[in-house]
Amino acid sequence: MSDETGTPDTTAGSAGRAAHGEAAPGGEVAQGGQVGRSDGPRPEPLRFFGTSWVHHDHGYAARRAGVAAGSLAAAAVSCLVLRFAYQGIRIAETGSFVTVLVVAMFAICSALAFRNTWEGFDKRHDPQRQASLRGLLAIGFVGSLLAYFFRSLTEAPGEKLHRAEYEKAREAHERRTTRRTGDPSRKKRRR
């Protein structure tokens, strides 16, 4: 999963998790010097939610409310700062062309950032495309904050994507583990 985004792999099977007492490459769990078998893939944690999105436990509702309130408050403060910047441009009397250009730039970049962030909740983005859009997304930060606000009203931002990937990984794990039938020690030997 994380190879597509270019982020460190935080799913079961990564060597980095073995150091933290979680799944090792062989599906084993190392904790306090003990090694045991894990029972399948682990969910990828979401920002602000960890893995509470899986079963909607450990304060999931409070976290969603906090993310909604926080992102809306951050968007409001950001709009206030942009308002001060707009007033500064007006006081500087740079002319209506520059004022319209700056307002249009922030509006268009915010709309594009909203759309990009919203689409990122449903599918993984290409890391190279994201790198090329970094400047545009930074200018349109208000759009990203509003996307977080609206998505957190219905679910944890990114939960749908992560749930689909997690369920797919669980199904693949179930198929692998249930493929073997019978007791191998009782298997008939061919002569």
Side-chain angles (χ1 to χ4, degrees):
M1 280 187 261
S2 295
D3 290 338
E4 297 172 11
T5 61
T7 59
D9 190 11
T10 59
T11 57
S14 69
R17 291 182 69 113
H20 297 291
E22 298 180 30
E28 297 177 349
V29 177
Q31 188 138 14
Q34 299 175 344
V35 176
R37 300 298 298 172
S38 68
D39 71 331
R42 295 177 185 247
E44 187 174 346
L46 287 175
R47 181 181 297 149
F48 305 120
F49 293 91
T51 57
S52 67
W53 60 268
V54 177
H55 300 292
H56 294 183
D57 56 357
H58 302 293
Y60 173 81
R63 290 176 190 220
R64 256 187 49 205
V67 167
S71 59
L72 185 62
V77 169
S78 300
C79 287
L80 184 64
V81 170
L82 290 176
R83 170 80 173 143
F84 290 145
Y86 174 77
Q87 287 176 345
I89 291 172
R90 297 288 291 182
I91 291 171
E93 296 179 1
T94 56
S96 61
F97 177 73
V98 173
T99 304
V100 169
L101 191 64
V102 169
V103 169
M105 175 191 65
F106 274 105
I108 291 169
C109 289
S110 291
L112 292 173
F114 180 90
R115 180 175 176 233
N116 187 61
T117 304
W118 191 264
E119 288 176 351
F121 296 143
D122 293 328
K123 66 178 176 125
R124 299 246 182 210
H125 288 299
D126 178 30
Q128 293 173 342
R129 180 177 179 266
Q130 286 299 102
S132 66
L133 292 176
R134 187 170 292 138
L136 183 131
L137 297 175
I139 294 170
F141 62 97
V142 175
S144 293
L145 290 170
L146 290 175
Y148 261 86
F149 168 71
F150 287 119
R151 184 52 74 116
S152 63
L153 294 177
T154 57
E155 67 175 10
E159 179 181 346
K160 182 179 178 182
L161 172 66
H162 284 74
R163 187 170 301 282
E165 290 175 348
Y166 178 61
E167 292 299 322
K168 185 177 178 182
R170 295 284 300 174
E171 288 172 9
H173 175 73
E174 290 296 321
R175 281 195 307 272
R176 282 193 310 269
T177 57
T178 59
R179 191 177 299 163
R180 299 178 203 100
T181 59
D183 187 0
S185 64
R186 292 186 178 181
K187 188 176 182 180
K188 292 182 182 179
R189 297 181 186 230
R190 293 183 186 177
R191 293 181 188 202

